[in-house]
Amino acid sequence: MNKNLIFRKSYVDGNWTTDGKKTFKVTNPANGKTIASVYDGGIKITKKAIKSANKASNNWSKYTAKERSKILEKWNDLILEYTESLAEIMTLESGKPINESKGEVEYGASFVKWFAEEGKRAYGDVIPSHTKSQRVIVIKQPIGVVAAITPWNFPLAMITRKVAPALAVGCTIIIKPADETPLTAIALAHLADKAGFPPGVFNLIVGTDSAGMGKTLCDSNLVKKISFTGSTEIGQLLMSRSSKTLKKLSLELGGNAPFIVFEDADIEKAVEGAILSKFRNSGQTCICVNRFIVHNKVYDEFTSKFLLAVSELKMGDGMDKNVNIGPLISQEAIKKTESFVKDALKNGGKLITGGNSIDKYFFEPTIIGNVNLEMKLAKEEIFGPVAPIFKFSSDKEAIDIANDTIYGLASYFYSKDINRCWNIAEKLQYGMVGINEGLISTEVAPFGGIKSSGQGREGSKYGIEDYLEIKYMCFGNIK
Ligand code: SIN
């Protein structure tokens, strides 16, 4: 591994900096061993970053889109050049299997490339006027200072998905990564420094006082927007804390994805999709399937083929390239997953495979049948490798089960009937629908949810709008 990419400090105003001598340990979730000690920034460094981002804002907004794009392109090239090292750092601190980590580096870079291009197309409008003497013009301008608060489950891509559109349109940025996975974020900042963003445009603050740092960002009048990926509870907190300054918010929050298998589905394809969408990152993504909903007539066939595919998954340290299921992020995550399984089995669920934590850091891929809507795992986001399977017998029943949740992020279903595909897709109350597809994430499409899964969209042409203000200009007295 390229040790030169391991840094331990925050990056503010173009300098590597700390709040003092205090450090915190970053550990490998596959074995609990310390990987590095990182300087623990807090409120002081957050204030410094706000000042620096604000100071740089005016100048950066005056760069042409093409000038900004060139620096973003350079950052993209550097991220791709360092794919192997970034992936190794990511696997070490997050446990993600190495092949998935490599995939995430490419996925993350794709947002930088996409928005480097898209920034040049942040068009306004000329609106046909309502009077002879006036002209109506709309321009779009950068919001200003943006704070990106990012999660541990995608330590790289959730940063680039927020930072690239912000920088592309002329906003400056303060990133607060999860304290479980700061090393990938710090390596990204190092590559951003090499790419040549002017001082203060790109700031990264690392620390364990997430509450204090988050509050400082929310309370500041200089921070104009917060983009957050994480739990619904923290999203709600950020929203209420931001109400005083009426900040704009993009919130990508929890999910409870249904995966419906209709009786006319291609079962082989459904199983392939089920494995991808349930067990990616050991079940620790916001769009992982939370509930399988399978028609009575194909329940046995789907379940037995799914079981076979699950039995082929290899669990272990993510650094082993043959591993598909890495550790869970923490002991707390293991306990939470255990409690879901316990609750389901106590209430009549039938264990089909798995169900146990292994060697302290891992949780077996698990399938539970005979589940019902009262169980905890039907209501809450599992965020672990547990697959509960419901039965249904009519389309209405499937839709009712699928929509019976406060969440509305991703959903999936399999059917060969085109009319059913349209109807079901329209009825699912979700921001994203995979139709005969279990892997839906891409930089070209709008990622985001409705209901308690949040607001705003990331990626695609829609993802750039969240970082722009609309200004209407009325030219009067035209002769
Ligand atoms: C997430 O889990 O928050 C993001 C998943 C993705 O981008 O595919």
Side-chain angles (χ1 to χ4, degrees):
M1 186 178 62
N2 189 337
K3 287 249 163 62
N4 295 333
L5 267 193
I6 301 250
F7 292 84
R8 305 168 58 216
K9 294 183 178 173
S10 294
Y11 179 75
V12 175
D13 207 13
N15 296 305
W16 295 99
T17 179
T18 69
D19 251 2
K21 291 209 173 94
K22 198 177 143 213
T23 58
F24 67 98
K25 287 190 169 98
V26 183
T27 52
N28 182 342
N31 52 31
K33 289 192 182 142
T34 302
I35 306 163
S37 285
V38 171
Y39 284 98
D40 199 355
I43 292 174
K44 210 165 107 198
I45 216 158
T46 307
K47 288 188 173 160
K48 209 162 139 189
I50 295 173
K51 216 165 138 196
S52 136
N54 185 53
K55 191 178 75 191
S57 183
N58 189 33
N59 180 42
W60 182 241
S61 71
K62 286 192 187 130
Y63 273 52
T64 65
K66 198 167 171 181
E67 286 168 336
R68 290 192 292 261
S69 170
K70 271 199 184 141
I71 307 178
L72 282 162
E73 289 276 4
K74 181 88 197 287
W75 191 34
N76 168 64
D77 293 346
L78 285 164
I79 295 171
L80 290 175
E81 187 185 324
Y82 286 92
T83 299
E84 297 285 328
S85 303
L86 288 167
E88 283 176 25
I89 293 172
M90 195 187 301
T91 294
L92 280 176
E93 64 179 354
S94 74
K96 183 173 289 199
I98 190 74
N99 290 329
E100 282 192 46
S101 293
K102 282 185 198 155
E104 183 181 337
V105 177
E106 281 163 24
Y107 177 48
S110 74
F111 290 105
V112 182
K113 176 85 183 158
W114 173 269
F115 285 112
E117 291 294 333
E118 204 62 18
K120 298 179 212 161
R121 293 186 270 275
Y123 303 135
D125 277 311
V126 180
I127 298 176
S129 181
H130 56 304
T131 71
K132 287 197 174 117
S133 63
Q134 289 171 310
R135 298 294 179 269
V136 178
I137 311 290
V138 172
I139 63 164
K140 294 193 182 159
Q141 294 181 301
I143 282 183
V145 176
V146 173
I149 305 178
T150 58
W152 51 262
N153 64 337
F154 284 84
L156 189 144
M158 294 308 101
I159 292 180
T160 54
R161 192 153 86 180
K162 300 175 190 315
V163 169
L167 296 182
V169 297
C171 298
T172 55
I173 193 99
I174 302 159
I175 305 155
K176 161 69 181 83
D179 46 47
E180 291 87 347
T181 55
L183 298 174
T184 310
I186 303 177
L188 263 187
H190 171 70
L191 299 179
D193 181 66
K194 274 180 102 167
F197 293 103
V201 168
F202 187 112
N203 304 279
L204 175 84
I205 50 173
V206 182
T208 52
D209 181 13
S210 298
M213 293 162 98
K215 185 172 180 315
T216 306
L217 293 168
C218 289
D219 288 347
S220 169
N221 257 314
L222 300 176
V223 177
K224 302 297 179 205
K225 180 191 168 84
I226 293 186
S227 178
F228 169 70
T229 296
S231 72
T232 297
E233 293 70 32
I234 302 292
Q236 286 164 330
L237 200 64
L238 291 171
M239 190 176 226
S240 71
R241 287 213 172 127
S242 297
S243 67
K244 275 200 205 107
T245 53
L246 281 176
K247 257 183 242 326
K248 284 191 184 284
L249 291 160
S250 289
L251 300 171
E252 199 260 272
L253 308 177
N256 184 352
F259 185 108
I260 310 172
V261 183
F262 287 97
E263 70 276 25
D264 63 341
D266 178 332
I267 301 297
E268 311 284 334
K269 291 270 177 256
V271 168
E272 255 172 51
I275 293 288
L276 287 172
S277 54
K278 176 66 239 183
F279 295 107
R280 183 170 167 233
N281 200 15
S282 309
Q284 301 173 110
T285 90
C286 306
I287 56 171
C288 275
V289 178
N290 220 59
R291 294 165 297 153
F292 287 92
I293 304 166
V294 182
H295 194 280
N296 268 322
K297 286 192 185 147
V298 290
Y299 182 90
D300 290 342
E301 184 187 354
F302 174 82
T303 305
S304 60
K305 288 186 172 156
F306 187 42
L307 175 61
L308 191 66
V310 166
S311 69
E312 282 162 11
L313 295 172
K314 184 166 180 240
M315 190 172 68
D317 186 332
M319 288 305 265
D320 174 345
K321 66 179 183 345
N322 297 313
V323 157
N324 328 92
I325 302 284
L328 296 193
I329 190 68
S330 63
Q331 287 306 298
E332 202 191 332
I334 297 266
K335 279 201 198 98
K336 199 168 161 217
T337 310
E338 274 169 348
S339 81
F340 281 126
V341 173
K342 221 166 141 191
D343 175 78
L345 299 186
K346 194 176 87 196
N347 290 297
K350 178 173 166 265
L351 189 64
I352 297 174
T353 186
N356 298 301
S357 62
I358 304 283
D359 293 343
K360 190 166 170 202
Y361 300 104
F362 300 87
F363 202 94
E364 290 178 300
T366 297
I367 307 177
I368 304 178
N370 204 29
V371 290
N372 63 59
L373 282 166
E374 296 317 308
M375 294 172 179
K376 248 169 68 169
L377 46 57
K379 294 195 178 111
E380 294 174 33
E381 188 172 37
I382 301 171
F383 236 66
V386 177
I389 313 188
F390 292 77
K391 267 186 197 167
F392 74 92
S393 52
S394 72
D395 287 17
K396 180 173 179 322
E397 195 189 352
I399 282 290
D400 286 349
I401 298 174
N403 287 339
D404 189 3
T405 167
I406 58 165
Y407 296 106
L409 192 60
S411 55
Y412 310 85
F413 70 89
Y414 279 69
S415 164
K416 284 190 204 137
D417 178 338
I418 188 72
N419 288 318
R420 176 182 263 160
C421 286
W422 269 109
N423 282 318
I424 299 294
E426 283 173 3
K427 285 184 183 137
L428 283 168
Q429 293 161 359
Y430 289 85
M432 298 176 280
V433 188
I435 303 157
N436 296 318
E437 182 56 65
L439 208 52
I440 56 174
S441 303
T442 158
E443 79 280 16
V444 309
F447 190 105
I450 59 172
K451 295 160 76 179
S452 291
S453 291
Q455 57 188 41
R457 291 294 179 270
E458 297 192 311
S460 81
K461 67 170 183 170
Y462 304 101
I464 211 151
E465 298 296 332
D466 282 24
Y467 298 90
L468 290 164
E469 290 283 16
I470 287 176
K471 184 178 281 173
Y472 150 49
M473 301 192 293
C474 181
F475 283 72
N477 288 299
I478 308 267
K479 295 204 174 78

